[in-house]
Amino acid sequence: MINKEQIRNKLYDEFIQPTNQKKDFIGVEIEIPIINLDKKAVDFDLVHEITHKFQNQYSDFKTEGIDYDGNVFALKNPKTDDIVCYDCSYNNIEFAMGREEELFAINDRFCDYYSFVKESFEEHNHTLTGMGINPYRKYNENIPIPSERYLMLYHHLKSFKNYKDIPMHFHRFPEYGMFSSASQVQLDIYRDDLVKTINVFSKIEPIKALLFSNSVLFGQNDNITCFRDALWEYSTHGVNPHNIGMYDVDFKDLNDLQSYLESLNIYCVMRDGAYINFPSMNLLEYFSRDYVRGEIYCNGEYRDIEIKPCISDIKYLRPFKFINLTFRGTVEFRSICTQPIRDSMSVAAFHLGLKGKLDELDDIITKDTAIYHKGYTAGELRKLLIQDEIPKIFNKKELCALSKEIVDLAKDGLKERGIGEEVFLNPLYDRIKKHTNPGKIIIDSIKNNVKIEKLIDDYGRLSII
């Protein structure tokens, strides 16, 4: 049996130890829905054709992933570490940009790749757009990429019916990964700053909801500007609420943070190159067992299998927090929806600018009365502020003033870098001025009989800085 000290030490080695090096890089991942403008399912044959076309155009990209049908689903440039791939399904393309020291290099390469792919799709009446939920999801064939990881993930999400005696309800969209898209940022955070980074950034999640929400579930719950939150929370990823969403606690030190890591659930491991799913269970419970019964995919079907837990299985621990520690020694910020494409770098700019302003940001939040000191936690506040109509307990002018103060602080942080990256924050000032965000604009536009096709086109357009 594996004891708690072994687990704690392994968690430290995997999540905390990599942050001992002082680095200062930025990583950006942008998931983008693919849309068939004929209002039919995305043509997967076309997707594969454009993948090959991209590889021919950008010859430095090498095949990184091939599905069970022999189709390429991931390409990687070993010189830049840029990855162009499909996320969960062939309805969703992802541009995972290799780490850089500044945003302009990332933006230049992203715009280049995006323009090529979008123009290639538009030759066949398909397109790309910057929305956090695919507005044409009902037309699509929402099936996972036939690969180890994505079949495992979908099998886990479909297993919600097997959880009978837990105090939560599940939505009925286990395929949500195939129609929802995020904009994620990874920053190198030094170990001594980890706890404060998580504590302080957690408290501005409600403001991030006000600024960045862009996930409207058309036809259902379309009064919510960021429905992605619910898709994660009320899925099998949320069986243990510590695995998703907010922390809603203040960590005292690294020991506190490690204790939180011990509270997480695990639901899959690998053996001999194959994933094994099992019911989501606490990490300590998993390692207390002599054997765990799960399912393995083999020759087109699942069969039962028993495995013996081993300490290296911690590398398969997959929490999906709004703020995640990674095995690479980075902190990943993952609560923000894909943005209108022209605003894509605003997400990274916001986090990067605030990274070195933790004390000032903490001071702003401590003194705030626009959202805090009203009896609500940060998690509760975020749920209130992703509604189309902001509850009356909040003063909109005060909300905008708080948002501007935080964006101003991010701007100061970027200015101190002396590169000019603060230009990427401009869209946020426009949103603050108009008391809106991309999700609210979608909701208001639909109410005013604006066709969704117009929004698809608008949100898919690039602007070159």
Side-chain angles (χ1 to χ4, degrees):
M1 185 183 297
I2 298 166
N3 63 44
K4 187 172 180 178
E5 184 178 359
Q6 288 174 288
I7 297 167
R8 195 172 185 84
N9 290 339
K10 187 64 174 176
L11 285 168
Y12 182 91
D13 291 343
E14 294 289 345
F15 289 102
I16 310 296
Q17 180 64 31
T19 64
N20 279 341
Q21 291 182 312
K22 285 193 174 182
K23 303 174 291 181
D24 198 21
F25 290 100
I26 313 154
V28 173
E29 301 172 24
I30 303 172
E31 302 162 3
I32 299 171
I34 303 170
I35 291 171
N36 184 342
L37 293 171
D38 290 329
K39 294 187 178 180
K40 297 178 181 178
V42 168
D43 185 343
F44 291 169
D45 288 336
L46 174 62
V47 170
H48 303 319
E49 177 186 322
I50 289 174
T51 305
H52 289 297
K53 184 179 177 181
F54 182 93
Q55 193 169 18
N56 289 333
Q57 175 72 16
Y58 299 93
S59 58
D60 286 337
F61 278 82
K62 309 303 178 186
T63 299
E64 181 78 359
I66 299 177
D67 70 21
Y68 291 157
D69 297 329
N71 296 306
V72 175
F73 67 86
L75 299 168
K76 183 175 182 178
N77 183 336
K79 296 179 180 179
T80 62
D81 283 339
D82 293 344
I83 297 173
V84 175
C85 60
Y86 297 93
D87 184 67
C88 289
S89 82
Y90 288 114
N91 297 309
N92 205 27
I93 191 168
E94 177 178 335
F95 299 91
M97 310 304 297
R99 66 180 194 172
E100 289 285 353
E101 293 182 333
E102 48 90 8
L103 287 177
F104 287 104
I106 293 175
N107 186 61
D108 287 346
R109 296 204 306 274
F110 167 71
C111 290
D112 185 24
Y113 304 153
Y114 176 82
S115 296
F116 179 84
V117 173
K118 185 170 187 284
E119 289 169 9
S120 298
F121 272 113
E122 287 180 344
E123 292 174 5
H124 303 273
N125 212 34
H126 284 56
T127 194
L128 307 179
T129 194
M131 294 184 182
I133 289 182
N134 192 320
Y136 276 14
R137 75 185 195 284
K138 66 181 180 181
Y139 305 117
N140 282 341
E141 191 175 5
N142 287 311
I143 57 174
I145 293 170
S147 69
E148 271 296 321
R149 178 169 178 246
Y150 291 120
L151 287 171
M152 174 278 295
L153 184 58
Y154 189 42
H155 192 62
H156 170 60
L157 290 169
K158 285 194 300 180
S159 71
F160 67 90
K161 295 177 183 178
N162 299 333
Y163 294 87
K164 304 295 185 184
D165 299 314
I166 59 173
M168 69 173 289
H169 73 273
F170 295 98
H171 60 65
R172 295 299 185 263
F173 303 105
E175 74 283 4
Y176 73 87
M178 304 170 208
F179 63 73
S180 65
S181 305
S183 180
Q184 297 162 359
V185 181
Q186 293 198 28
L187 298 178
D188 287 317
I189 305 294
Y190 183 55
R191 184 186 62 177
D192 292 353
D193 298 323
L194 268 184
V195 168
K196 189 157 200 172
T197 297
I198 293 173
N199 284 344
V200 177
F201 269 97
S202 291
K203 292 171 185 173
I204 63 166
E205 286 295 342
I207 296 301
K208 287 164 65 175
L210 282 176
L211 291 170
F212 294 104
S213 287
N214 189 28
S215 295
V216 179
L217 192 70
F218 298 94
Q220 294 173 270
N221 301 99
D222 51 10
N223 62 324
I224 303 296
T225 59
C226 186
F227 198 75
R228 278 183 64 256
D229 286 9
L231 291 174
W232 287 93
E233 182 174 354
Y234 301 110
S235 74
T236 50
H237 287 311
V239 167
N240 178 353
H242 277 202
N243 274 51
I244 49 88
M246 307 277 290
Y247 288 94
D248 267 341
V249 293
D250 261 346
F251 297 120
K252 179 182 176 182
D253 50 29
L254 285 175
N255 285 328
D256 261 9
L257 178 56
Q258 280 190 258
S259 295
Y260 197 96
L261 293 176
E262 291 169 9
S263 77
L264 299 174
N265 276 24
I266 187 170
Y267 63 86
C268 72
V269 295
M270 290 191 91
R271 294 289 185 270
D272 299 320
Y275 272 108
I276 295 159
N277 288 87
F278 45 83
S280 179
M281 69 180 73
N282 174 255
L283 202 59
L284 299 181
E285 179 186 349
Y286 173 77
F287 284 115
S288 73
R289 298 190 178 189
D290 292 327
Y291 290 94
V292 171
R293 190 173 184 85
E295 294 178 292
I296 187 170
Y297 184 77
C298 185
N299 296 324
E301 62 182 15
Y302 285 89
R303 60 178 177 84
D304 292 341
I305 186 173
E306 281 194 341
I307 58 168
K308 184 176 178 62
C310 59
I311 193 64
S312 61
D313 289 340
I314 280 179
K315 66 185 175 185
Y316 301 110
L317 178 62
R318 298 181 183 277
F320 294 99
K321 303 294 294 180
F322 284 171
I323 304 173
N324 253 358
L325 286 174
T326 77
F327 299 129
R328 294 179 289 272
T330 63
V331 170
E332 181 181 50
F333 300 91
R334 47 177 298 114
S335 65
I336 292 181
C337 318
T338 294
Q339 296 296 287
I341 299 302
R342 59 180 168 270
D343 303 340
S344 291
M345 291 302 127
S346 64
V347 181
F350 179 81
H351 292 90
L352 180 61
L354 293 174
K355 171 185 170 181
K357 295 288 186 179
L358 294 178
D359 290 335
E360 296 94 327
L361 183 57
D362 192 31
D363 187 57
I364 289 172
I365 295 301
T366 300
K367 294 176 179 176
D368 168 69
T369 57
I371 60 173
Y372 283 105
H373 306 292
K374 294 181 183 292
Y376 295 95
T377 66
E380 291 167 339
L381 287 168
R382 183 170 169 104
K383 289 183 177 181
L384 292 172
L385 296 177
I386 60 171
Q387 299 179 52
D388 176 30
E389 292 297 329
I390 301 298
K392 301 295 185 183
I393 60 171
F394 302 110
N395 180 294
K396 289 185 179 180
K397 287 185 179 180
E398 291 179 358
L399 287 177
C400 288
L402 175 60
S403 299
K404 184 177 183 299
E405 188 175 6
I406 291 173
V407 176
D408 282 343
L409 185 62
K411 186 175 184 178
D412 290 342
L414 293 175
K415 280 184 173 180
E416 289 174 9
R417 288 167 54 84
I419 303 171
E421 295 157 313
E422 60 272 13
V423 69
F424 293 115
L425 295 174
N426 288 344
L428 304 185
Y429 285 106
D430 188 56
R431 296 174 190 180
I432 292 168
K433 181 180 178 181
K434 296 177 179 176
H435 295 201
T436 194
N437 57 50
K440 183 166 176 53
I441 290 172
I442 291 172
I443 292 171
D444 291 344
S445 296
I446 297 301
K447 287 179 180 176
N448 291 319
N449 297 315
V450 175
K451 290 188 175 181
I452 190 62
E453 288 72 26
K454 185 178 187 304
L455 294 168
I456 290 171
D457 177 66
D458 180 44
Y459 279 40
R461 290 181 178 272
L462 267 177
S463 62
I464 306 300
I465 291 180

